[in-house]
Amino acid sequence: AVVARKWVHRRARGRASLLSPRETYAAFVHEPQWALLSSIGDGVAAAAQTGTALTEPDLGLDKGFALLEHINVNVPEQEPAKSFYFGVLGCAVDRRRQANVEKGKGTMWANIGISQVHLPVGDPQVIPGKVYLRFPDLDVVRDRLKGTEFTWSDHGSSLEVQCPYGNVYVLVPGGVPGVSLDDRGAHPSDDQSLGAGLDRVELRCAPGTAPGIARFYRHYFEADVTE
């Protein structure tokens, strides 16, 4: 399960969670800031608009989320992951984990603007949904994908591509070349990433749980929620 607890720059007040951890599927977007949650089977969906975009670097939000900083997916070995995240998606190697990339073992950090994909070595993890990434120029990624063995599809205004272990990434237009989605900057890298940052993560939730998830975000994060 993905639990809304890390890298949310806001104080969560009060009592225990309204939902069990395995029900608390969360998705965040930075620009505009949305949390999207969908339900399988019962046709119920909840979308939480998370407030005014951050303009001050002190994280002085009145409500909502400040940033989707990173996602974490384990990979069983580095080389296929390197080919995908650095070779195709054009992520930049984070300087703080560059030694791990060079020696071929340990956790890699793949930077995309101010966001990251953390890639520890372990049993492969597959996110139950889709991760959306913003790219100023989708044609650059199209050219990189041609002739590779990766599974991908071209939808004109977006690309859908699958990592070697089954995670699905949707690439959408957005951002300016060499500029992060976030005015707070980018993670330290020797090179600039092709992508502008994480746009959103859509995660499936069990039938009937969407209303409860909506209550969670209203109560703890003061998010504006529609069902």
Side-chain angles (χ1 to χ4, degrees):
V2 178
V3 182
R5 65 174 186 270
K6 296 184 67 178
W7 298 104
V8 178
H9 297 284
R10 164 155 186 82
R11 181 169 60 91
R13 304 185 304 277
R15 314 185 310 269
S17 171
L18 297 176
L19 302 171
S20 70
R22 99 184 175 130
E23 290 174 322
T24 312
Y25 292 102
F28 310 124
V29 178
H30 177 66
E31 187 182 297
Q33 296 181 354
W34 287 90
L36 301 179
L37 303 122
S38 61
S39 178
I40 305 169
D42 63 355
V44 178
Q49 187 171 14
T50 60
T52 304
L54 184 68
T55 57
E56 296 295 332
D58 63 359
L59 305 178
L61 288 179
D62 292 329
K63 63 179 181 178
F65 304 112
L67 172 67
L68 171 57
E69 193 273 347
H70 78 266
I71 59 172
N72 186 101
V73 287
N74 291 355
V75 295
E77 53 183 327
Q78 275 198 8
E79 287 307 317
K82 283 183 189 178
S83 298
F84 180 77
Y85 290 97
F86 302 122
V88 171
L89 296 185
C91 295
V93 177
D94 193 289
R95 292 194 198 106
R96 295 163 292 186
R97 294 294 182 271
Q98 189 163 352
N100 292 352
V101 176
E102 292 170 351
K103 67 187 179 184
K105 59 182 180 180
T107 298
M108 300 185 294
W109 289 356
N111 294 347
I112 177 167
I114 200 170
S115 305
Q116 296 181 314
V117 181
H118 288 189
L119 301 161
V121 175
D123 293 336
Q125 290 178 313
V126 179
I127 293 172
K130 296 179 180 181
V131 179
Y132 286 70
L133 307 174
R134 287 195 176 188
F135 281 80
D137 190 349
L138 293 180
D139 286 337
V140 175
V141 186
R142 281 190 181 94
D143 291 341
R144 287 179 171 226
L145 283 165
K146 292 174 182 176
T148 69
E149 296 182 356
F150 298 115
T151 300
W152 66 288
S153 55
D154 192 335
H155 302 282
S157 60
S158 67
L159 301 174
E160 187 166 301
V161 59
Q162 194 173 116
C163 87
Y165 306 108
N167 287 292
V168 177
Y169 293 87
V170 181
L171 282 48
V172 296
V176 179
V179 178
S180 170
L181 274 179
D182 195 287
D183 59 11
R184 285 167 287 188
H187 284 285
S189 305
D190 291 334
D191 302 308
Q192 290 182 331
S193 60
L194 287 181
L198 283 164
D199 185 81
R200 68 184 183 270
V201 179
E202 293 182 351
L203 298 164
R204 298 186 295 271
C205 60
T209 61
I213 293 170
R215 290 195 302 273
F216 175 88
Y217 286 98
R218 285 193 191 102
H219 181 81
Y220 286 104
F221 299 107
E222 299 177 15
D224 296 323
V225 179
T226 56
E227 297 179 48

